[in-house]
Amino acid sequence: MISGVGCLLYVATAQPIMLIWLGVYLSTNVVYASSLWKARGPVFLPQYARLVAMNMVTSGSFSFMILYLSVQPSAALNGVGICGLAGQAFFNLSRHKKLTAVARWDTFSIVAGSIFVGGVHALRLDGTMSYQAVMLFGVGAVSTYYVVAQRSVFRVNRALEAAREEAAHIQKMNAIGQLTSGIAHDFNNLLTVMRGNVELAELAGSQREKETALQATKDAADRA
């Protein structure tokens, strides 16, 4: 999809920067995907740091183009860029489940990008300073809302993870309870057999009957 958009932008604008950007974006994604594939298994800190840096370069290359489009004189390109910025923001909200280095970078990119685009358009306004102030206030409000929304996503995911751990613990304890209950029941049955055979041995009328009862008691003890 990104490749198609890049080609359409080049056809519409005839600007070589569109193809240059597309080539950089695709190449960085290929390198990043290849590094992720090779990093299967335990990942140590230096390797993790390299992967985070590559992710930042990849997302940064995408952010560059949407910011570039968002500040162009053309209203059509502005619309494409702002839609791209909004899409990136929605993607990041659904992508990150907890606060990581990549989540911090993506949040910073969205907030800084929004402030940059809003600031450029505020400077271009031909009205009074009040219009510029309204523009900047709106950008600040949207950026703040995005950060709050991202924090809410983290909080909800932490609560879900805690609930899953609690449910797993309860399930484990129920299984242990059923197991110990079954063992206690079987052991109690064997004790009943042993006690009954001991009483039979005490009441036996002959040595053979006594030995038979005692042997049954030994067998029950072995099973216990």
Side-chain angles (χ1 to χ4, degrees):
M1 184 175 64
I2 300 297
S3 299
V5 172
C7 293
L8 288 175
L9 287 172
Y10 174 72
V11 172
T13 63
Q15 296 182 16
I17 191 174
M18 302 298 177
L19 292 181
I20 295 174
W21 164 78
L22 183 59
V24 171
Y25 177 75
L26 293 178
S27 61
T28 54
N29 270 276
V30 169
V31 173
Y32 179 56
S34 176
S35 299
L36 284 178
W37 185 82
K38 293 179 181 178
R40 292 180 300 176
V43 177
F44 299 99
L45 184 59
Q47 189 178 17
Y48 174 75
R50 287 194 298 270
L51 291 173
V52 170
M54 294 178 65
N55 180 277
M56 293 169 64
V57 171
T58 301
S59 62
S61 64
F62 179 81
S63 299
F64 167 80
M65 179 49 62
I66 60 177
L67 295 180
Y68 174 79
L69 295 174
S70 298
V71 298
Q72 292 303 299
S74 169
L77 294 181
N78 284 174
V80 174
I82 292 174
C83 287
L85 183 61
Q88 187 182 27
F90 290 135
F91 174 74
N92 289 342
L93 284 176
S94 63
R95 174 189 182 190
H96 299 297
K97 305 302 181 184
K98 57 184 179 179
L99 186 61
T100 61
V102 175
R104 293 176 188 271
W105 166 251
D106 286 342
T107 301
F108 170 78
S109 298
I110 295 298
V111 173
S114 300
I115 294 174
F116 171 74
V117 173
V120 171
H121 284 286
L123 292 175
R124 291 177 178 174
L125 288 176
D126 294 329
T128 62
M129 293 183 61
S130 60
Y131 290 112
Q132 296 175 336
V134 169
M135 171 70 77
L136 294 177
F137 178 81
V139 170
V142 170
S143 300
T144 302
Y145 177 78
Y146 176 81
V147 173
V148 171
Q150 186 73 84
R151 289 171 61 89
S152 297
V153 170
F154 296 154
R155 184 168 58 253
V156 169
N157 278 283
R158 284 197 300 269
L160 289 175
E161 184 64 26
R164 283 194 291 266
E165 291 179 357
E166 184 178 0
H169 178 70
I170 293 174
Q171 185 178 12
K172 180 176 69 176
M173 296 307 296
N174 287 338
I176 293 175
Q178 293 175 0
L179 176 63
T180 53
S181 176
I183 292 175
H185 177 74
D186 293 341
F187 189 67
N188 183 64
N189 290 339
L190 292 172
L191 290 176
T192 301
V193 172
M194 287 186 283
R195 183 176 179 83
N197 282 301
V198 169
E199 291 177 353
L200 289 176
E202 292 176 346
L203 299 175
S206 65
Q207 183 65 25
R208 182 176 180 180
E209 292 177 350
K210 183 176 182 179
E211 290 178 354
T212 300
L214 290 176
Q215 185 60 47
T217 302
K218 292 179 181 179
D219 293 340
D222 290 339
R223 290 195 298 275

